Amino acid sequence: EFEHKGLKEVQMHPERPYTSTLISGQEQLFEAVYADRAVTQACIGCHNAHPNSPKRDFKINDVMGGIVITLPLGRQPG
């Protein structure tokens, strides 16, 4: 759910990450999705040619996906 919503958000607003804090068991986690942009022609060529690519016309700076980061923030008291 988080990753799906995060990918939609960074597609619309690639300049800012989509973030959340959640509790998993006794641990608090920070999650973020950052836009993965086409930064070189090699990125574009590979993604445009890949058989599972959702599109075939990526250009420089297009969002091609996302980078998901999850960091533990510590244990919850109790």
Side-chain angles (χ1 to χ4, degrees):
E1 176 75 29
F2 171 80
E3 289 177 19
H4 183 73
K5 183 165 180 159
L7 287 171
K8 284 184 177 183
E9 289 293 321
V10 298
Q11 184 75 35
M12 292 186 305
H13 306 285
E15 68 284 351
R16 64 178 189 241
Y18 178 75
T19 63
S20 177
T21 304
L22 67 98
I23 306 294
S24 177
Q26 291 294 316
E27 194 161 56
Q28 188 175 15
L29 302 171
F30 170 79
E31 294 184 307
V33 178
Y34 290 85
D36 186 14
R37 295 181 188 235
V39 295
T40 69
Q41 191 57 47
C43 299
I44 294 165
C46 187
H47 279 259
N48 284 343
H50 196 282
N52 294 329
S53 183
K55 81 184 236 190
R56 305 265 190 249
D57 61 348
F58 286 110
K59 298 177 286 310
I60 287 288
N61 267 340
D62 282 355
V63 175
M64 296 188 301
I67 299 168
V68 179
I69 297 172
T70 303
L71 299 170
L73 296 175
R75 296 185 62 77
Q76 287 296 103

